Amino acid sequence: MGVRLMVVDDHRLLAEALASALKLRGHRVLAAAAPAAGAAELVISRAPEVCLLGTATPAEPGTFDPVIRIKRERPQVAVVVLGPVPSPRGIAAAFAAGASGYVRHDERIEGVERALMKARAGEAAVAPSLLQGAFSELLNPAAQPDDEGQRLLQMLTPREVEVLVRVADGEDTRLIAAGMGIAPSTARTHVQRVLMKLGVGSRLEAAALAARTGLLDRAGPVAPSTTPAPTPESPNPDS
């Protein structure tokens, strides 16, 4: 029997992709919402069995405030957090807020589905490897943890970072071009360069990687674009 659920994530493209994949697997998705800031009100009003709540910053203060409110007003709703590889503080904060599970952003859809089913059944939905990794970090903290998000950010030019943010927000080539004041052919070139530098094969994979590593939060909001000068790789001047 399918799960009656809601998918909430700050990045609309990810929320809609997850919702579509779960619908195809027989689950009833009541809504795919963004941003996560409005999650509590939506979940409280619709009362799903499970809420899949995406976050790129599980260790940040206030990240799980929506979970606290949901569990206070709709205690029967199970919340499963979808986030990056958690630090001990991040995973502890999720469960302290009342979450029933934690799933990594790069988990296969089968793993996400198993977590939803376990959470609905009232079980803790977290992979043993995540718990083991969290305890290992607590016992043997790394002096200088590898910051994958910062490393990836340094690989991209400022314009490519803006393109990535727009891709994660669900913009197609036409919207990217209009928002940045460039030709569609130039926008396509920037997108392909971003995919190549990140080592992924699709826009969805790029958005998922950026969210998982916290790259999007480091990039900050998209700034208004000015009209760029013509570039050698673009057959037409930008407008």
Side-chain angles (χ1 to χ4, degrees), residues 111-127:
V112 176
E113 185 177 37
R114 283 194 299 271
L116 297 175
M117 300 292 285
K118 291 183 70 174
R120 184 179 66 176
E123 302 175 30
V126 58

Side-chain angles (χ1 to χ4, degrees), residues 1-6 26-30 43 46-52 70-71 74-80 100 115-122:
M1 181 179 177
V3 178
R4 187 163 50 89
L5 71 137
M6 295 182 64
H27 301 287
R28 182 185 174 194
V29 182
L30 300 180
V43 173
R46 301 297 297 275
E49 293 177 306
V50 182
C51 170
L52 186 60
I70 290 168
K71 297 304 293 184
R74 293 283 188 181
Q76 73 277 18
V77 176
V79 180
V80 175
S100 299
L116 297 175
M117 300 292 285
K118 291 183 70 174
R120 184 179 66 176

Side-chain angles (χ1 to χ4, degrees), residues 103-216:
V103 181
R104 284 175 48 160
H105 268 137
D106 57 356
E107 178 64 76
R108 296 174 64 89
I109 191 65
E110 294 84 0
V112 176
E113 185 177 37
R114 283 194 299 271
L116 297 175
M117 300 292 285
K118 291 183 70 174
R120 184 179 66 176
E123 302 175 30
V126 58
S129 59
L130 286 185
L131 289 178
Q132 182 179 1
F135 284 128
S136 295
E137 186 177 335
L138 281 171
L139 295 173
N140 302 289
Q144 293 183 331
D146 179 39
D147 190 338
E148 186 180 3
Q150 182 63 29
R151 180 181 64 81
L152 294 175
L153 192 61
Q154 291 174 347
M155 294 170 56
L156 304 176
T157 67
R159 187 166 287 283
E160 289 166 349
V161 171
E162 181 177 354
V163 168
L164 178 58
V165 172
R166 292 180 182 277
V167 166
D169 284 340
E171 294 187 10
D172 58 18
T173 300
R174 178 181 58 81
L175 288 176
I176 293 173
M180 298 179 65
I182 58 178
S185 59
T186 305
R188 282 192 294 271
T189 298
H190 284 313
V191 170
Q192 289 304 313
R193 285 181 174 174
V194 168
L195 299 184
M196 181 183 66
K197 288 185 177 182
L198 295 182
V200 297
S202 69
R203 297 183 182 211
L204 180 57
E205 288 181 84
L209 177 63
R212 175 174 61 82
T213 59
L215 188 155
L216 295 175

Side-chain angles (χ1 to χ4, degrees), residues 52-70:
L52 186 60
L53 176 67
T55 179
T57 56
E60 289 295 317
T63 295
F64 299 117
D65 286 351
V67 180
I68 295 173
R69 184 178 171 197
I70 290 168

